[in-house]
Amino acid sequence: MGNPPPSTPVTPIGDDRRKQSLAETLAAAPDISRLRIFAYGSLMWSPCFEFIGRSRGTLYGYHRGFSIWSVHARGSPENPGLGFALEEMSDARCDGMVFSLPKNVSEQDLIPLWEREMWTETYTPTWVWVNMEGMKVQALTFVVSTDHMQYAGNLPLEIKARYIARASGKYGTCYDYLSETVKVMRDYGVRDPEMENLLAAVDELIC
């Protein structure tokens, strides 16, 4: 069951609140000298931070969906798009990319990431355990806040496809956002039938 687009304007959080969120997240880091980020959407192909390595990773207990309303990055208030979200869900798994950051990474270095992922508080920065190259590592990822006004929930496939086919925002079209993510997943051997089916449905609409 899905939720309709926000009926009132979506207001970004202030810079002070964003910096506070970043500081609190880093203070809770398991090892500040070995920071990793688990990417499951556009960060896989367009990271906004310096990294020294990346590997495939699997996160259990979470599901990747196209389940938040985008009214800034890939849509507008008048023509909302949809965006990727990671939602905690038993018996689920999400395959993505684990980025290893330099040892000297600073809070300042991560401000672009927070400006992109924490424009509003649609997500909660969360430290999770990820399976990577035969071992478990802790990484930072962004989990959807299901009580946020931008949470779209589980919309029917055909409805999601219609929104994706026509929306665009500050960072480009919603279609490119989806197709580039599916492309990089294919390149790295990551299989996500749900996203493949969604892209196929959008392709049918815009052909």
Side-chain angles (χ1 to χ4, degrees):
M1 191 84 176
N3 301 318
S7 58
T8 56
V10 176
T11 305
I13 61 175
D15 288 342
D16 288 345
R17 171 61 191 133
R18 198 170 289 114
K19 289 177 181 177
Q20 179 188 11
S21 168
L22 172 55
E24 289 173 349
T25 301
L26 291 183
D31 183 352
I32 196 68
S33 68
R34 295 178 61 86
L35 294 182
R36 296 182 176 93
I37 293 173
F38 177 74
Y40 57 90
S42 64
L43 288 177
M44 288 195 290
W45 51 271
S46 181
C48 53
F49 46 81
E50 184 181 354
F51 61 93
I52 57 174
R54 61 179 164 186
S55 304
R56 279 183 53 178
T58 301
L59 175 60
Y60 290 95
Y62 290 84
H63 172 260
R64 171 177 36 228
F66 228 63
S67 57
I68 59 168
W69 293 110
S70 178
V71 295
H72 174 71
R74 300 286 173 172
S76 65
E78 301 76 23
N79 193 16
L82 288 162
F84 283 104
L86 192 65
E87 186 171 350
E88 193 167 3
M89 194 175 295
S90 62
D91 299 326
R93 64 177 283 172
C94 178
D95 294 307
M97 301 296 300
V98 179
F99 290 88
S100 298
L101 277 55
K103 287 186 177 181
N104 62 348
V105 68
S106 68
E107 188 173 311
Q108 187 70 25
D109 295 327
L110 295 177
I111 286 177
L113 175 63
W114 249 251
E115 290 177 341
R116 184 159 138 188
E117 300 299 307
M118 296 295 291
W119 184 245
T120 61
E121 289 186 295
T122 314
Y123 300 116
T124 299
T126 306
W127 294 100
V128 293
W129 286 98
V130 183
N131 285 32
M132 183 190 80
E133 297 180 337
M135 59 182 177
K136 277 192 171 183
V137 299
Q138 284 190 279
L140 171 67
T141 195
F142 294 88
V143 178
V144 69
S145 300
T146 57
D147 58 350
H148 195 274
M149 65 189 298
Q150 286 177 259
Y151 178 62
N154 187 24
L155 296 168
L157 176 70
E158 59 274 12
I159 292 178
K160 287 190 284 192
R162 287 202 296 269
Y163 277 105
I164 294 165
R166 66 192 186 201
S168 63
K170 178 180 178 180
Y171 296 122
T173 68
C174 200
Y175 174 79
D176 286 345
Y177 174 54
L178 171 61
S179 63
E180 289 294 331
T181 302
V182 171
K183 179 180 181 299
V184 76
M185 286 195 292
R186 290 171 179 167
D187 290 344
Y188 281 91
V190 174
R191 288 277 300 150
D192 190 327
E194 182 179 338
M195 293 302 113
E196 293 277 0
N197 292 339
L198 180 56
L199 179 59
V202 180
D203 281 336
E204 285 188 9
L205 291 178
I206 63 178
C207 284

